[in-house]
């Protein structure tokens, strides 16, 4: 009888553990999916540019439609100040789909549009990462998305590109200090937040 009760108790414990584990999994999975979604959106837009450069009309249309849809999903799930800028870039890309379908998407029109969309995407991600908690644990994500913002500078040209590059370089330098950890990193965090805010302000101003 004792053996039967022990087995029953063990089974209940196993079921309880499995339920707890499965309840915790979605939150972690959602975080991972968010990062995968962001990365794949940029990749789809790059794929559209590559296909267009090769004269692959079907490939261009398919990648552009998928990338635009992913970008729109990202924008609609956002609540920060970059949301409208991101939706604006979605609108610009949608206007290019008919041109791609008819084979009239020539020159570097698509490249510039994609660069600006990636700039908005990167800035939106930076804003999200700044939204909660300290920055010390988010250096990798912030660095990656600042570099994504940087890809759009070539589409701006002139003094805007120079100003943007200077702001991003300064912010990347600040993040480098944070990556070293310790008391010095903690002390530098407010200044880095200011540098990141300057980058976001710049992006809002040019898009």
């Amino acid at each position: 009888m004792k053996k039967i009760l022990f087995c029953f108790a063990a089974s209940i414990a196993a079921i309880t553990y499995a339920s707890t584990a499965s309840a915790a999994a979605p939150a972690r999975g959602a975080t991972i999916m968010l990062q995968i979604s962001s990365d794949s959106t940029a990749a789809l837009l790059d794929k559209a540019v590559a296909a267009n450069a090769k004269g692959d009309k079907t490939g261009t249309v398919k990648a552009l439609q998928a990338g635009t849809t992913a970008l729109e999903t990202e924008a609609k799930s956002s609540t920060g100040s970059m949301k409208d800028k991101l939706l604006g870039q979605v609108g610009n890309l949608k206007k290019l789909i008919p041109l791609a379908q008819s084979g009239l998407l020539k020159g570097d029109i698509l490249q510039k549009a994609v660069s600006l969309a990636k700039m908005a995407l990167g800035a939106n991600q930076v804003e999200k990462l700044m939204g909660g908690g300290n920055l010390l644990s988010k250096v990798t994500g912030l660095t990656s998305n600042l570099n994504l913002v940087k890809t759009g500078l070539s589409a701006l040209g002139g003094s805007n590109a120079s100003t943007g590059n200077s702001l991003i370089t300064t912010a990347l330098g600040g993040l480098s200090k944070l990556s070293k950890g310790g008391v010095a990193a903690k002390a530098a965090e407010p200044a880095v937040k200011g540098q990141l805010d300057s980058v976001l302000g710049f992006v809002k101003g040019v898009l």
Side-chain angles (χ1 to χ4, degrees), residues 48 52-53 60 64 95-111:
N52 190 55
T60 301
L64 187 54
K95 292 176 184 177
L96 299 182
I97 293 176
L99 292 177
Q101 290 171 329
S102 59
L104 298 176
L105 195 54
K106 306 297 183 181
D108 59 354
I109 296 174
L110 180 59
Q111 174 67 69

Side-chain angles (χ1 to χ4, degrees), residues 115 119 149-157 160-161 163-166 168 202:
S115 293
M119 175 182 279
V149 172
K150 199 171 185 177
T151 63
L153 295 180
S154 60
L156 298 176
N160 280 332
T163 299
N165 187 63
S166 178
I168 292 171
F202 166 78

Side-chain angles (χ1 to χ4, degrees), residues 3 12 29 35 39 43 58 66 74-75 80 83 93 101 103 107 137 142-143 151 160 163:
K3 184 175 181 181
I12 293 297
Q35 186 61 47
D39 292 344
T58 301
E74 169 71 20
K83 179 174 183 174
L93 289 173
Q101 290 171 329
S137 61
L142 288 167
T143 299
T151 63
N160 280 332
T163 299

Side-chain angles (χ1 to χ4, degrees), residues 1 5 31 34 36 102 125 132:
M1 184 66 177
L5 289 173
T31 300
L34 175 65
I36 291 173
S102 59
Q125 288 298 315

Side-chain angles (χ1 to χ4, degrees), residues 61-139:
V61 172
K62 185 176 180 180
L64 187 54
Q65 287 175 330
T68 302
T69 298
L71 196 67
E72 186 169 27
T73 299
E74 169 71 20
K76 288 182 176 179
S77 69
S78 300
T79 56
S81 61
M82 287 302 306
K83 179 174 183 174
D84 289 342
K85 298 298 182 181
L86 203 53
L87 285 172
Q89 297 309 309
V90 169
N92 290 339
L93 289 173
K94 281 185 174 181
K95 292 176 184 177
L96 299 182
I97 293 176
L99 292 177
Q101 290 171 329
S102 59
L104 298 176
L105 195 54
K106 306 297 183 181
D108 59 354
I109 296 174
L110 180 59
Q111 174 67 69
K112 287 184 176 180
V114 164
S115 293
L116 295 177
K118 287 164 66 177
M119 175 182 279
L121 178 63
N124 186 63
Q125 288 298 315
V126 168
E127 187 174 54
K128 280 186 176 181
L129 288 167
M130 292 177 68
N134 63 64
L135 302 181
L136 299 180
S137 61
K138 304 173 183 177
V139 172

